[in-house]
Amino acid sequence: MAVEVGRVVAVYGRSLIRFAALEDKMRLVSKPGVYVKMECEGGSWIYAMVVGFNLLDELYRRSRIVEELEGYGDLRPARNELVATIVGCGDGRSIRRGVPELPRPGQKVYAASSEELARIMGSGDIELGVLSFNREVPFTLSLNMLCSRHFAVLAMTGAGKSNAVAVILASILEKYPYSRMILIDTHNEYVPLARKYSSVRVLTPAGKIARLVEARYGIAPQQLEVPLWTLGLEEVAGMLRLDPSRATKQLMYLRSALQEVRRARYPLASADDPIYYRAEELREAIERQGRGSRYSDRSLDDLLLKLDALLENSDLRYVTRPSRSDELYESCERPEPYRSVAVYTEVYGSLLRPGLSIVALGGLPGDAQASTAATILKSVWRLVTAGVLAGSPIPTLIIVEEAHNYAPQGRWSPAREVLERIAKEGRKFGIGLGVVSQRPRELSQTLLAQCGTLIALRTTNPRDQEYILSSMEDIMREMVEGLSGLSTGEALISGPAAAMPAIVKVHEFYTKYGVALGGKDVNWTEDWSKPPRPVDLTPYLVSEVEEEQRGETRDVGATIERFLH
């Protein structure tokens, strides 16, 4: 039987109610996120979530002087008013958005029971955690709605974003063996997932970055190649650090050179088509842009200098010297454009194998990360949309960590356009998107507005809160203002993937799955209480190190111990 907890006092608009709670029932409703319900016609219930409190001591308010009141300690003349936002209408087993009628002042308010909340909240596909105010009620998300309507995980640093994302990934991997997910891992935080699941692949550029990953996690990553010829004009410009608003002449030279080298193998190619060429051929084509002129062109010279710097950067050999894709191209005997497309499909198609592909980009420069991510995302977009048009859809979920670096608000980035396109059109082609950010106000508002489900952990910056409120639907100001009061690991979750908006205690990933993620805070007290462990830094500071040299004696090596003493 439903427990009465108070009466409706006022109704504001179509979503907020204020109700007076009985003093002896305050313990049932005095926590943010608690659900109450009111009867409506047809035997159904209107559900609302408590989001605010107005608790007054009437005796103190009227007297203003506590000391003059005799027996004050024995009196409890209190007025308990709570504010709740209406979240839907249901029969105790399921719930739907909207309400057929509003509650009326004076109407009885009841507490929603644990049993009916468990039925409603447990109707999804993947379990993310439990309700914060009632740890007996599991909270689940609808996978179809999560992926098809996209989602955003937002929070300040250290609030539990990576933990929440890892729980989502692990839940999907365990329940859906043929899922296809790609994670752009900006700081290599999710690499340990490969220890837990055989279907998780870690891809990173060969050389220094790969050695860092292997040394830190004990996991040998697969070699990532993003060949220069697979990059479009914008991605190449990003690699060369060309500002589209200023370097217009250099972009003109680059476009002409890209068309020339691609059309040398396939006459109908455009500047963006994935037609094979070698990096040296691009340089020669750029040089030819200035021939016939009597005067030196500083724009052209500067463009050549930037290209030379790119070609000489050993950390970017996975772009400029992609040995595997070169071998694949040489071994393919088909005519163009089928030859280039076959290699292109082989290079990027491996990302679409069942399981999770972690593209670990930690350690790369920011512009290289953005161009690499842009190329991978555009390639996945091309392959998946082509599959749909060919009658063979490949549902794929893409998650982007530190998304504000790839799709910044008010600033150009090579990955921004493709991310916004996926957000706006991906649903039609079976591409889901999850964006993760600790700086929501720096994230593209277009991108954030397309994310139907919000998973917001503690966020204290008022500008971030306002940005979230203005960018996302189905979010009330009272909900957003409560984000600063969440504890670590707690999240406000709202949107089509959730049965109802809820404050959820997300499962702790290590406790549930037995694997520690990267990106944890340094234990200062522990590390400052013992001498540093000698580690040879050479393989992690020098991009190319001969294998036989790596085993040499350390008496002349650059070690942390030598550096610190």
Side-chain angles (χ1 to χ4, degrees):
M1 184 176 179
V3 178
E4 181 183 348
V5 294
R7 301 262 181 157
V8 175
V9 173
V11 179
Y12 305 98
R14 292 190 55 84
S15 58
L16 280 180
I17 67 166
R18 181 160 56 93
F19 69 95
L22 301 170
E23 179 68 18
D24 61 338
K25 295 297 189 295
M26 271 297 293
R27 60 183 177 81
L28 299 178
V29 292
S30 60
K31 297 179 181 178
V34 169
Y35 297 96
V36 295
K37 61 182 183 179
M38 295 137 284
E39 285 186 284
C40 64
E41 292 183 359
S44 58
W45 297 91
I46 298 170
Y47 287 87
M49 183 175 76
V50 174
V51 294
F53 303 88
N54 184 27
L55 310 180
L56 298 175
D57 188 312
E58 286 293 307
L59 190 57
Y60 175 70
R61 185 178 69 86
R62 295 189 182 199
S63 68
R64 302 290 181 179
I65 304 175
V66 177
E67 292 80 358
E68 295 181 2
L69 299 173
E70 296 181 2
Y72 178 79
D74 298 327
L75 296 173
R76 295 189 179 276
R79 185 175 76 187
N80 303 320
E81 294 181 353
L82 286 76
V83 177
T85 180
I86 296 174
V87 295
C89 179
D91 57 4
R93 292 183 296 272
S94 62
I95 193 167
R96 62 184 182 276
R97 301 301 166 97
V99 291
E101 61 182 53
L102 291 172
R104 299 177 302 279
Q107 192 171 345
K108 291 181 179 180
V109 179
Y110 301 90
S113 68
S114 298
E115 292 75 17
E116 64 185 308
L117 289 176
R119 288 193 296 268
I120 294 171
M121 297 300 189
S123 60
D125 305 299
I126 56 175
E127 184 175 317
L128 183 60
V130 294
L131 294 184
S132 287
F133 74 91
N134 189 341
R135 303 299 171 90
E136 297 179 359
V137 178
F139 179 85
T140 61
L141 293 168
S142 165
L143 184 60
N144 282 333
M145 288 297 175
L146 187 72
C147 295
S148 63
R149 298 297 188 270
H150 313 311
F151 65 95
V153 182
L154 308 174
M156 61 185 292
T157 182
K161 298 185 309 298
S162 301
N163 181 79
V165 173
V167 171
I168 291 173
L169 293 172
S171 300
I172 294 174
L173 287 169
E174 292 195 346
K175 193 170 182 179
Y176 301 95
Y178 297 101
S179 57
R180 290 178 176 84
M181 297 180 286
I182 299 170
L183 171 63
I184 305 298
D185 189 356
T186 305
H187 299 302
N188 303 345
E189 294 179 74
Y190 300 90
V191 172
L193 287 171
R195 295 190 192 130
K196 177 75 174 178
Y197 303 103
S198 60
S199 58
V200 174
R201 302 168 294 278
V202 179
L203 298 95
T204 195
K208 181 175 65 178
I209 308 301
R211 291 193 292 270
L212 284 167
V213 169
E214 187 170 2
R216 183 176 182 182
Y217 298 110
I219 295 171
Q222 299 179 24
Q223 183 175 340
L224 173 69
E225 286 191 353
V226 182
L228 187 64
W229 62 270
T230 66
L231 275 65
L233 173 63
E234 287 188 350
E235 292 81 60
V236 177
M239 281 285 191
L240 297 175
R241 302 183 181 182
L242 302 182
D243 185 345
S245 63
R246 300 174 62 184
T248 53
K249 194 171 184 180
Q250 291 179 340
L251 285 170
M252 179 189 69
Y253 286 141
L254 181 60
R255 179 188 296 274
S256 298
L258 284 171
Q259 287 180 336
E260 180 182 329
V261 293
R262 296 189 197 277
R263 289 176 178 176
R265 287 182 170 82
Y266 182 59
L268 300 179
S270 71
D272 285 324
D273 286 340
I275 301 299
Y276 180 87
Y277 64 85
R278 294 185 182 277
E280 294 79 5
E281 296 172 356
L282 178 61
R283 192 190 190 286
E284 294 169 0
I286 293 175
E287 277 187 309
R288 286 193 289 271
Q289 301 297 311
R291 289 180 184 174
S293 174
R294 297 172 52 189
Y295 305 102
S296 174
D297 189 330
R298 293 182 60 184
S299 295
L300 184 61
D301 293 340
D302 185 53
L303 179 58
L304 287 169
L305 285 173
K306 290 177 178 178
L307 181 58
D308 288 339
L310 175 66
L311 298 180
E312 292 168 6
N313 190 334
S314 55
D315 286 341
L316 301 179
R317 294 290 173 85
Y318 72 102
V319 176
T320 58
R321 300 286 188 274
S323 56
R324 177 172 172 267
S325 62
D326 285 347
E327 292 172 1
L328 288 172
Y329 186 81
E330 294 300 328
S331 63
C332 184
E333 298 180 354
R334 303 177 67 183
E336 292 289 3
Y338 303 100
R339 185 179 184 183
S340 293
V341 170
V343 178
Y344 179 86
T345 305
E346 178 69 22
V347 170
Y348 293 108
S350 60
L351 294 169
L352 297 174
R353 297 204 308 269
L356 170 64
S357 295
I358 299 176
V359 182
L361 301 179
L364 288 174
D367 52 345
Q369 287 183 337
S371 291
T372 298
T375 303
I376 290 173
L377 293 172
K378 284 187 177 181
S379 301
V380 170
W381 172 263
R382 283 172 167 172
L383 293 173
V384 173
T385 54
V388 170
L389 296 175
S392 180
I394 313 170
T396 303
L397 173 63
I398 297 170
I399 299 177
V400 182
E401 260 281 0
E402 304 292 354
H404 53 272
N405 291 336
Y406 304 102
Q409 174 67 13
R411 180 167 56 86
W412 178 84
S413 169
R416 177 175 171 173
E417 181 182 353
V418 65
L419 279 170
E420 291 181 349
R421 186 176 185 185
I422 290 172
K424 290 185 285 189
E425 303 177 29
R427 181 175 63 87
K428 298 181 290 186
F429 298 99
I431 303 180
L433 180 64
V435 297
V436 187
S437 176
Q438 61 180 329
R439 295 199 288 271
R441 66 185 181 279
E442 296 181 17
L443 181 63
S444 162
Q445 196 161 24
T446 300
L447 182 62
L448 191 56
Q450 296 297 321
C451 295
T453 299
L454 170 68
I455 302 174
L457 295 97
R458 187 171 69 249
T459 305
T460 58
N461 190 303
R463 291 175 58 196
D464 283 336
Q465 294 178 2
E466 284 294 328
Y467 197 75
I468 293 171
L469 184 65
S470 64
S471 300
M472 304 195 70
E473 299 177 358
D474 199 28
I475 299 295
M476 299 293 296
R477 177 173 294 277
E478 290 75 14
M479 294 182 183
V480 173
E481 290 176 347
L483 292 178
S484 59
L486 298 177
S487 62
T488 300
E490 280 189 331
L492 167 66
I493 302 177
S494 179
M500 294 190 293
I503 298 177
V504 177
K505 179 62 177 177
V506 180
H507 290 313
E508 209 283 315
F509 185 78
Y510 179 78
T511 302
K512 186 173 178 63
Y513 297 99
V515 176
L517 297 173
K520 296 191 301 182
D521 291 342
V522 171
N523 189 329
W524 294 79
T525 56
E526 179 181 330
D527 288 348
W528 279 4
S529 300
K530 61 185 180 182
R533 180 174 61 91
V535 177
D536 186 1
L537 299 179
T538 305
Y540 315 114
L541 295 176
V542 179
S543 298
E544 297 186 18
V545 179
E546 297 291 340
E547 289 298 321
E548 57 269 19
Q549 292 179 333
R550 294 176 62 184
E552 291 182 355
T553 58
R554 300 155 56 87
D555 55 344
V556 295
T559 66
I560 289 181
E561 188 177 47
R562 176 181 295 274
F563 176 70
L564 294 175
H565 294 286

